[in-house]
Amino acid sequence: PLNALCHTLGPSAIRPLAEALATEENSRALRRLRELLLGFGAAGRQSVEQLKTSPNPAVRRTAIDLLRVFGGREALPELASMLDDADPQVQREAIRAIVQIGSDEAYAVLERALVGGEAKSRDTIVQQLMALRDEKAAPLLCYVLNHTQPRGRMVNAHLGIIDALGSLSAHPKSTDTLKKVLYAGSFWAPFRTAALRQAAATALRRIGGPEAAAVLEEAVAKGPRGVRNIARTQVGIVRTIPPRERVKS
């Protein structure tokens, strides 16, 4: 009955619904109000500005829902403004929405945040990207590896990103980036170099497929000694796994 009443009133009901949602605390009421706003289609888009500034994180997440459903590429500036939100769940939803848009413009928004943002904000974005486990996040994870140095706190971030890439499906950028990591290194940081190379080789083995396998085989045949030894171990693991079980590894 409430749905029917609101839609009978038409778009004039949107503003009071948004105002009610912006101050609501009850989770069930939040869900119902969100559904009502989404039911108005593109007309509900006008309520976003009110919801973005709500003190309630759940309401701000609703704003992201509306932007995701109705905004498309036009919503990118508003989604970008929510990357610095104080609530990690709001940040995660904003990142997910941008990744799902999936355009070059969307990637550029996250790239700018990663390169130009504050260290704390950048670290949060990296952690949220890794947590997504979304295939569309692979190019952005590769961007981080290619445009940041594995020093200080970023060492663990690089290791985490490499592990995340290994859990995703094969992607040309993933294979190329992991190959660079496998061959890269610093004479002055042998332990860090070994850890990153080991992680990259393991990720390539987990990704599987002919391209990743070719990188490991080439490393065994032509790579420097340290690279050869690490790659040989991963190739040996693949060869000892029965063909039917390799997909599970």
Side-chain angles (χ1 to χ4, degrees):
L2 181 59
N3 259 333
L5 173 62
C6 289
H7 287 285
T8 298
L9 292 171
S12 62
I14 291 173
R15 184 177 181 85
L17 284 172
E19 290 174 349
L21 196 154
T23 57
E24 183 56 62
E25 296 291 338
N26 182 274
S27 59
R28 186 176 180 184
L30 283 170
R31 185 169 63 251
R32 293 293 293 121
L33 287 166
R34 171 187 176 278
E35 291 168 356
L36 282 169
L37 277 175
L38 289 172
F40 278 99
R45 171 74 172 74
Q46 63 185 270
S47 64
V48 169
E49 279 302 324
Q50 289 173 269
L51 305 184
K52 277 174 54 182
T53 58
S54 168
N56 187 340
V59 175
R60 299 200 297 277
R61 292 198 296 274
T62 296
I64 293 171
D65 277 341
L66 292 170
L67 289 167
R68 179 190 293 129
V69 174
F70 306 125
R73 58 191 295 180
E74 291 78 14
L76 283 171
E78 293 173 293
L79 288 170
S81 72
M82 303 185 81
L83 291 174
D84 292 325
D85 196 278
D87 184 80
Q89 290 186 340
V90 174
Q91 286 183 319
R92 181 171 64 249
E93 290 305 314
I95 292 168
R96 186 187 298 274
I98 293 171
V99 168
Q100 288 178 348
I101 290 173
S103 65
D104 289 342
E105 291 174 85
Y107 292 150
V109 166
L110 284 177
E111 287 173 8
R112 285 194 294 270
L114 287 167
V115 173
E118 296 180 0
K120 182 178 179 181
S121 177
R122 182 177 65 245
D123 292 347
T124 301
I125 292 173
V126 170
Q127 292 299 323
Q128 297 295 355
L129 280 173
M130 288 190 293
L132 285 181
R133 301 290 173 174
D134 189 317
E135 308 298 331
K136 291 183 179 180
L140 287 164
L141 293 172
C142 292
Y143 181 91
V144 178
L145 292 180
N146 288 323
H147 291 81
T148 61
Q149 294 297 319
R151 297 171 184 164
R153 289 185 300 174
M154 287 303 292
V155 174
N156 286 334
H158 275 233
L159 290 170
I161 291 171
I162 293 168
D163 180 68
L165 289 173
S167 70
L168 300 176
S169 299
H171 189 287
K173 288 190 177 180
S174 298
T175 304
D176 290 344
T177 299
L178 291 171
K179 180 178 180 179
K180 290 178 183 176
V181 176
L182 181 61
Y183 283 86
S186 170
F187 176 81
W188 304 107
F191 296 109
R192 182 181 68 200
T193 294
L196 290 166
R197 285 176 173 174
Q198 182 66 57
T202 301
L204 285 164
R205 189 257 302 166
R206 290 171 62 202
I207 289 172
E211 292 82 7
V215 172
L216 290 173
E217 294 283 0
E218 181 184 26
V220 171
K222 302 178 182 180
R225 186 176 63 178
V227 174
R228 286 201 309 271
N229 293 339
I230 289 172
R232 186 179 294 114
T233 299
Q234 297 304 318
V235 170
I237 291 173
V238 173
R239 290 173 177 170
T240 60
I241 299 175
R244 292 183 181 178
E245 298 296 323
R246 286 179 186 175
V247 68
K248 299 179 182 179
S249 67

